[in-house]
Amino acid sequence: MDISKIIGGIRLDPAATIPLYIQIANAVAAKIQENILPPNTKLPPERELAELLKVSRTTAINAYHQLERQKMVRTRIGSGTYIAELSSHSVPKADIPWHQLFSPHLQTPLSSIIKELVSTVVSSDSISLSAGMPDPALYPLDAFHDLFNLTIKNLDSTDFGHIPTEGYFPLRQELARYLNQKNIFSQPDDILVSTGSQQALYLLTKVLLAPGDYVIVESPTYLGAIQMFQSAGARILTLPAAGRFPLSLMEDYLIRYRPKLLYILPTFQNPNGRLIPLNERQEILSLASRHRLAIIEDDPYGELYYGEAPPPSLKALDHYGGVIYLSTFSKILFPGLRTGWIAAPAAVINRVALEKQYMDLHSNNISQWLLTNFLGHNLLESHLKLVRREYKKRRDSAARALRRHLETLISFSVPGGGFYLWCHLENRITSRQLLHEVTKENVSFVPGEAFYADPLGEKEFRLCFVTHREELLQEGVKRLAQALHALMKNTVASQTNRPNSIRPII
Amino acid sequence: MDISKIIGGIRLDPAATIPLYIQIANAVAAKIQENILPPNTKLPPERELAELLKVSRTTAINAYHQLERQKMVRTRIGSGTYIAELSSHSVPKADIPWHQLFSPHLQTPLSSIIKELVSTVVSSDSISLSAGMPDPALYPLDAFHDLFNLTIKNLDSTDFGHIPTEGYFPLRQELARYLNQKNIFSQPDDILVSTGSQQALYLLTKVLLAPGDYVIVESPTYLGAIQMFQSAGARILTLPAAGRFPLSLMEDYLIRYRPKLLYILPTFQNPNGRLIPLNERQEILSLASRHRLAIIEDDPYGELYYGEAPPPSLKALDHYGGVIYLSTFSKILFPGLRTGWIAAPAAVINRVALEKQYMDLHSNNISQWLLTNFLGHNLLESHLKLVRREYKKRRDSAARALRRHLETLISFSVPGGGFYLWCHLENRITSRQLLHEVTKENVSFVPGEAFYADPLGEKEFRLCFVTHREELLQEGVKRLAQALHALMKNTVASQTNRPNSIRPII
């Protein structure tokens, strides 16, 4: 490598406002980035640099100083100037105590679980029964490809500019039409489009909850909601999500704690698949209305029923204007669309829109046109028929495999819809022990503790049955059974190690 | 209309779990929504309804009760049951005091300005010089159309699923490559993709600012930033953004208030177009590094120069790891992409990603693939050449028209890049009075007060010169001049009405 030739080839512009030393430093830095000048290359001495580029010696010195400040080069005293190792200039030395500047972050022990679930890669040799994701093979990609080409011709250039914070108006019209079919009588103004229903929940938390406020949730419930409420400083009151809805416990909470809201998934709940029957829905609403309790009804799974359609949503039955309804297309179409929505009284939509305006001005336009047309061309119903048929088969197949391989060792009930089988271990093994064992076989699920605000669920776990086709599901359950049998053989030893005992910290 | 025939045509499913009365109510509600049963139609008496549908009289009564609860029908005593007016059932009676449940919202007098700007529609007869929006005619839509078709074939189905919270990895690679060309040496891990740079600023505010914290901003500055910081309860310290950068005032602030951060737009500032020269950038950094001051550098306009390229960004010159860099494609490509990014030390990216995970899991995938390919196919540089050439003409054209029509009445300087001409009224008229007058002629701009945290700017206003082609710009300035001349004739009368005097509230 002829270093003089490389450096001598740098072209400077003496007429530019950028000083020559910066021009030189930038040109050298670019060659370092492109690896034309690799780490540890010795650069010409300052005097030679000045001659090569026909600049003053001061300019050459300043150029090397600039590169040194940027950690691109380092000077060895008595030896000269060398290109630095990549690692040193790509990570600038942090002279600023960032961690002390950050606002405190309430980090629950399980707060990284969503992040891990989201980054789970579905690879060919692993069987993920953990992430609540639809099967990528069923994404309606051809329809979206056709819609894009159809749509883009009919768009006005204003459709590519800023749209209202509440969402693209034609989409809100389609959503109102869709909700009206489900007896949720809405106008476009009652609807706000969000970046997934996660953002809808974040916005509502921001707008409704202050530190110390009480929130009622089911137990177990969606783990993202628990984390969101806790990170807002709210206090969680739990209602067991099994058997008859515990109305009198809810009433006690209402009287004693005056909670701000009830967060509930009445239809094919995440994680336990529970469906609240119509009469209990009416009882919940009548108790809530007497206490002026606001309800957030989260309904990502309502369309995914594998037998009879579920009863009307709480929102459809709402007679006191207290229900805020959330849903999303992530579980039905594909998560990358990032499109959810809130249907709520106008007072709520207006306040949430003020917050969303600060947050991101508005959500992405492209997904919003595409969905407008997907709904407008009535493509949703046929897609739903397809996924319902397919997911029903998978639910039944997973349930059969669990019964065959794990007969007396676990119990579960078969949900009428949704994504999940909620299993209970009928022996000494905990779901964390099982997870630890089964990940060796490239199978994963979510241990029950993740879904509880209280320290419960160590014998429970959630299996998502929709992500993989039947053969893989069967294989996953088989490996799960092998792991459990292997664990049970070795439990005598682990018995002595009681995981729940608290030891002094010394 | 044969009401008996319509009602009699309702099909019920006695085997379904949904009770018959709900089935009836839903069917009637659907016919109301479809306007088959218009408002004020009289429904059959309960006994007749029971006969028509072969159900018990109790079922018929319950069905009407259900419809009444939903405000779909109303009962006139002694007269019967009638379909309600649409307005009454589309807006459920709010029995819940929503406004009392909301967290307090710091509403600055100007906080609705962004919302209005965003919803400004560029129609054929109005000339908006207010919104900071690129010209829709220059959006590279053909390129994006081709890229979509090219891209979608090469995508894996995982690209439609959940991607990391920090952004689509190939896009972060392209952004790192792009930033490296600008001497901002980055790895993909130093970058987080956000829903526009608005979300980036929201995330940073959330993570860095607590109520009572001090923030230094330029005065004037981006109005969205002032609002964001104020709504987080931060206190604003201002540095005049004219002439030499006021280093000693900044140092006084640092010593006296220990501010959390400096928010700054060093390149073609919004609103006043100011470019901070290289030597002042270095002085700012050296003062900031001595005080361990974090800097948010907002750089949406850096690529839009109409003469010489601007000096390196603060981030490129950062030698103490204290600069967080924000940018966006909204001003260069089109706002509907909603794609901005943060380049910052890994500690900042990690903390911001934790917050973004709660907020929306991750931003929209579709924009992220499209941008990956737009950058990967090197389409950015040629698009930038096009818009720079065109916007330069518009800047010069707007400046000529202002000089011709408003010679001595306003003053302004011509910025080297960006979107805005920042004008000062050299007479008694305020920019709000002028705005009021000129909107009658369908021309709009943003009055100066919007950009100040302090009560300043009543003689200033911002004109965006990029949104319209030259003829419209000229026409807009002409109407502005007419409005100003008209106002000046009538100022004697308005003199008596001093707008700044404070009157007792009685």
Side-chain angles (χ1 to χ4, degrees), chain A residues 17 21 26 95 103 115 145 149 160 183 198-199 202 207 292 308 336 338 355 358-360 364 367, chain B residues 17 26 95 103 145 149 160 183 199 202 207 282 292 308 336 338 355 357-360 364 367:
Chain A
T17 46
Y21 80 89
N26 286 355
D95 276 348
S103 312
K115 200 167 179 181
H145 188 179
N149 287 314
F160 294 83
N183 290 317
Q198 183 77 15
Q199 190 187 46
Y202 186 95
V207 160
R292 308 273 196 272
E308 267 167 26
R338 307 306 304 123
E355 193 63 34
Y358 282 128
M359 193 177 287
D360 60 12
N364 188 282
S367 285
Chain B
T17 46
N26 286 355
D95 276 348
S103 312
H145 189 176
N149 287 316
F160 295 82
N183 292 317
Q199 190 188 45
Y202 186 94
V207 161
Q282 287 168 325
R292 308 272 194 274
E308 267 168 26
R338 307 306 305 122
E355 193 63 35
Q357 184 194 336
Y358 281 127
M359 192 177 288
D360 60 11
N364 187 283
S367 286

Side-chain angles (χ1 to χ4, degrees), chain A residues 194-209 224-225 228-229 231-232 296 326 342 352 355-356 359, chain B residues 199 202-203 206-207 354-361:
Chain A
S194 56
T195 306
S197 64
Q198 183 77 15
Q199 190 187 46
L201 197 56
Y202 186 95
L203 284 163
L204 290 167
T205 301
K206 184 85 207 262
V207 160
L208 285 166
L209 293 182
M228 188 98 74
F229 300 147
S231 90
I296 296 179
L326 307 186
I342 304 177
V352 166
E355 193 63 34
K356 183 167 165 65
M359 193 177 287
Chain B
Q199 190 188 45
Y202 186 94
L203 284 163
K206 185 83 207 261
V207 161
L354 271 180
E355 193 63 35
K356 183 166 165 64
Q357 184 194 336
Y358 281 127
M359 192 177 288
D360 60 11
L361 300 181

Side-chain angles (χ1 to χ4, degrees), chain B residues 450-461:
Chain B
F451 304 99
Y452 286 93
D454 310 316
L456 293 170
E458 66 166 15
K459 294 289 193 186
E460 293 166 314
F461 60 95

Side-chain angles (χ1 to χ4, degrees), chain A residues 247 250 280-290 295 313-320 323:
Chain A
L247 271 187
M250 177 158 132
E280 295 182 20
R281 290 177 188 228
Q282 288 167 325
E283 289 164 358
I284 293 169
L285 285 169
S286 106
L287 178 59
S289 84
R290 278 206 304 285
I295 296 178
S313 61
L314 293 177
K315 180 74 179 165
L317 301 168
D318 176 14
H319 57 284
Y320 74 112
V323 181

Side-chain angles (χ1 to χ4, degrees), chain A residues 26-38 86, chain B residues 180-181 185:
Chain A
N26 286 355
V28 173
K31 290 188 195 301
I32 297 170
Q33 283 303 118
E34 291 159 23
N35 215 27
I36 295 168
L37 295 173
L86 275 168
Chain B
N180 286 337
Q181 289 161 6
F185 301 110

Side-chain angles (χ1 to χ4, degrees), chain B residues 123-276:
Chain B
S123 78
S124 54
D125 61 336
S126 78
I127 303 176
S128 164
L129 306 174
S130 53
M133 262 176 54
D135 183 355
L138 299 176
Y139 294 161
L141 301 185
D142 288 344
F144 271 84
H145 189 176
D146 294 347
L147 279 175
F148 187 92
N149 287 316
L150 194 75
T151 307
I152 202 160
K153 283 180 212 133
N154 300 321
L155 290 174
D156 189 287
S157 61
T158 56
D159 295 322
F160 295 82
H162 284 300
I163 57 174
T165 300
E166 294 88 348
Y168 187 54
F169 192 77
L171 176 59
R172 284 151 66 210
Q173 284 179 308
E174 286 296 339
L175 286 172
R177 193 173 68 97
Y178 166 75
L179 289 173
N180 286 337
Q181 289 161 6
K182 307 161 78 63
N183 292 317
I184 297 175
F185 301 110
S186 309
Q187 305 291 329
D189 286 348
D190 305 326
I191 295 168
L192 177 137
V193 178
S194 57
T195 305
S197 64
Q198 183 78 14
Q199 190 188 45
L201 197 56
Y202 186 94
L203 284 163
L204 289 167
T205 301
K206 185 83 207 261
V207 161
L208 286 166
L209 294 183
D213 279 348
Y214 286 92
V215 180
I216 309 178
V217 304
E218 296 160 283
S219 180
T221 190
Y222 171 49
L223 69 104
I226 299 173
Q227 292 177 6
M228 188 97 73
F229 300 147
Q230 284 180 338
S231 91
R235 309 179 71 165
I236 308 286
L237 301 168
T238 55
L239 296 174
R244 220 185 123 64
F245 191 88
L247 271 188
S248 66
L249 177 57
M250 177 157 131
E251 188 157 23
D252 288 349
Y253 285 157
L254 290 172
I255 292 163
R256 179 152 181 183
Y257 298 102
R258 306 190 174 281
K260 205 70 167 285
L261 58 89
L262 164 68
Y263 169 79
I264 191 165
L265 296 106
T267 308
F268 312 131
Q269 205 239 25
N270 176 7
N272 79 358
R274 189 252 294 256
L275 178 78
I276 298 177

